[in-house]
Amino acid sequence: MFEPYQTISLGPLTVSYMMLFLMISVTIGYFFINWYMKHLEIDHKEKVADVLMMSLIIGVLTYKFWPFVIEPKLLTAPQNLLYYSGGPYAILVAIILSIGYFAFQFFKNGWHTQVIDSVIIGSAVSGFTFFFFIREYGRQNPLTFGYSSGEMIHHPVNFYFAWLILLTIIGAMVLISKEKKLGRSMFILIGLVFSYLIISPLQM
């Protein structure tokens, strides 16, 4: 597992592990969605894939350029484009814009609700990937396992999230028929809410 704000050089670019695994997890989620739509034999999966890709691009660009939206003076130095990304509410705004664009296209094209199942499950797979690799330190753990920081042991919050998400995905796939309208989506969304409620008291 990797520290979120440590950096790695990729050719001329230097990116944090958080940003790197965010891109990796989104890519894995995207390919899983395409595979799942093929598994469900959705007729318009190519159109859905194009819209999904545009939604992801909107989200990534929003996250990347958000610092320049809230602090326009950063644009006075072009090199800042390489170093700045994220910031307050960046992820929230990126998610809202991405979901908003996808929802608009979903209703405009009248797609089957199985498209929603595909996107929700793929997003959960993406979340599992991200949380599995990026450390999040929780509160002090009285037990002997977790992340060390000095003499303290912290709850490995991301590890808890990752495995609860995985169990939720498996539960949805095993317990809920793919024919049930939005059944797997609702199972996963409810599972994610309960996962957060369980883990949030352990967060710092």
Side-chain angles (χ1 to χ4, degrees):
M1 296 181 185
F2 301 87
E3 298 291 343
Y5 298 109
Q6 286 184 351
T7 58
I8 181 173
S9 295
L10 301 174
L13 298 177
T14 299
V15 297
S16 67
Y17 280 111
M18 177 183 286
M19 191 65 184
L20 175 63
F21 279 99
L22 178 62
M23 292 186 291
I24 290 173
S25 63
V26 166
T27 302
I28 290 173
Y30 175 78
F31 282 107
F32 185 90
I33 291 169
N34 277 280
W35 170 83
Y36 192 71
M37 287 193 297
K38 184 176 181 180
H39 171 70
L40 295 178
E41 299 180 343
I42 295 175
D43 294 332
H44 39 266
K45 56 182 178 295
E46 292 82 8
K47 174 65 174 177
V48 176
D50 290 342
V51 170
L52 183 62
M53 177 59 72
M54 182 56 67
S55 299
L56 295 175
I57 291 172
I58 290 171
V60 170
L61 291 180
T62 301
Y63 181 84
K64 173 60 183 175
F65 292 105
W66 185 247
F68 307 97
V69 174
I70 60 177
E71 291 287 345
K73 63 182 180 181
L74 291 173
L75 290 170
T76 58
Q79 66 270 23
N80 287 339
L81 293 170
L82 295 175
Y83 301 116
Y84 285 89
S85 63
Y89 306 110
I91 292 180
L92 178 62
V93 175
I95 291 173
I96 290 173
L97 291 179
S98 294
I99 292 177
Y101 176 78
F102 188 87
F104 171 76
Q105 293 294 335
F106 175 83
F107 289 110
K108 176 184 175 183
N109 292 284
W111 291 332
H112 195 280
T113 54
Q114 286 182 328
V115 170
I116 300 296
D117 282 341
S118 304
V119 172
I120 294 295
I121 296 172
S123 298
V125 169
S126 180
F128 166 77
T129 305
F130 180 80
F131 283 115
F132 186 82
F133 286 103
I134 295 298
R135 288 189 175 191
E136 180 182 347
Y137 291 76
R139 297 181 181 276
Q140 185 175 359
N141 189 352
L143 303 178
T144 57
F145 68 92
Y147 299 141
S148 299
S149 177
E151 297 182 356
M152 296 177 61
I153 302 294
H154 296 267
H155 283 285
V157 171
N158 66 292
F159 184 79
Y160 301 156
F161 271 128
W163 289 107
L164 285 173
I165 291 171
L166 181 60
L167 289 174
T168 300
I169 295 170
I170 293 173
M173 301 294 283
V174 172
L175 300 176
I176 308 297
S177 169
K178 67 180 182 180
E179 305 300 331
K180 186 174 177 61
K181 186 176 181 180
L182 296 178
R184 290 179 173 177
S185 294
M186 294 304 299
F187 186 97
I188 287 176
L189 291 175
I190 292 171
L192 294 178
V193 170
F194 274 102
S195 298
Y196 176 77
L197 293 175
I198 293 169
I199 302 301
S200 58
L202 303 178
Q203 292 181 298
M204 295 182 66

